[in-house]
Amino acid sequence: MKTKLVTREGFNALKAEHDHLWHEKRPEITKIVSWAASLGDRSENADYTYNKRLLRQIDRRVRYLRKRLNELTIVDYSPQQEGRVFFGAWVEIENEAGDIKRFRIVGPDEIYDRKDYISIDAPMARALLKKAVDDEVVVRTPEGEKHWFVNTITYPTETDSREP
């Protein structure tokens, strides 16, 4: 089961996606489907078939977003989080070989199209929770235990959710 947490930026992005699909994309595709249907034989009408499928995908995504947006809990930054890893933090970690990774811990609905975001449900994120700078983190992976050290922890400001 996916965690029902989301950053304010993530919630706003999901809401914007819903609004774009519902108010712009769906009406546009509906017009194309209506036009293609008016041409007659739908069985061999590629415009009709393709756009009807696209309309179903849009409707499926809109239904999912409506349901998901209602059940998500927005987590805003709190000064009490400072110095420790919590939801919404940008974290830089390093292993003994000197490999460095930097990412933000966010809700599972926010990680798509972002290589620098990881889900709060990921083993790495779970292992990092409540850790402080210089703490050692042991992450259990299919290849065995991996050891990392926390280098930095930062939280985005309200006006800038991008990487600091």
Side-chain angles (χ1 to χ4, degrees):
M1 174 123 159
K2 290 200 285 189
T3 301
K4 295 179 180 174
L5 301 178
V6 67
T7 62
R8 182 157 308 276
E9 304 84 39
F11 184 86
N12 291 342
L14 290 171
K15 179 84 173 91
E17 178 188 359
H18 169 273
D19 293 348
H20 171 74
L21 289 173
W22 187 249
H23 297 295
E24 296 172 37
K25 192 72 175 165
R26 191 178 193 287
E28 172 188 319
I29 299 302
T30 302
K31 283 180 191 169
I32 295 170
V33 168
S34 296
W35 167 79
S38 72
L39 298 178
D41 186 12
R42 295 176 188 170
S43 63
E44 294 183 22
N45 186 332
D47 275 331
Y48 178 82
T49 307
Y50 171 79
N51 286 295
K52 191 72 173 166
R53 185 178 321 122
L54 188 56
L55 198 55
R56 282 193 300 271
Q57 290 169 350
I58 290 169
D59 287 345
R60 187 169 35 252
R61 182 68 178 164
V62 165
R63 276 193 309 274
Y64 171 79
L65 288 170
R66 283 184 178 166
K67 182 178 176 212
R68 192 69 179 159
L69 287 167
N70 283 333
E71 56 191 23
L72 288 172
T73 301
I74 298 171
V75 178
D76 287 317
Y77 166 76
S78 166
Q80 297 146 334
Q81 295 173 226
E82 208 57 51
R84 297 252 175 220
V85 177
F86 290 103
F87 188 83
W90 280 101
V91 184
E92 181 182 279
I93 57 174
E94 185 174 356
N95 65 14
E96 290 157 348
D99 297 329
I100 295 176
K101 294 188 181 293
R102 184 172 177 77
F103 47 79
R104 186 173 186 204
I105 299 173
V106 296
D109 295 288
E110 301 176 73
I111 60 174
Y112 303 101
D113 298 331
R114 293 293 302 250
K115 298 277 188 241
D116 56 348
Y117 278 14
I118 65 168
S119 170
I120 187 77
D121 297 330
M124 175 68 80
R126 291 285 183 202
L128 282 165
L129 287 178
K130 299 182 183 173
K131 298 293 189 223
V133 171
D134 294 331
D135 282 356
E136 181 177 2
V137 180
V138 178
V139 183
R140 288 167 189 34
T141 69
E143 298 87 40
E145 288 185 350
K146 304 285 184 193
H147 295 262
W148 296 88
F149 297 92
V150 179
N151 285 345
T152 62
I153 303 164
T154 55
Y155 289 91
T157 63
E158 285 183 32
T159 57
D160 182 17
S161 64
R162 294 166 303 178
E163 181 176 357

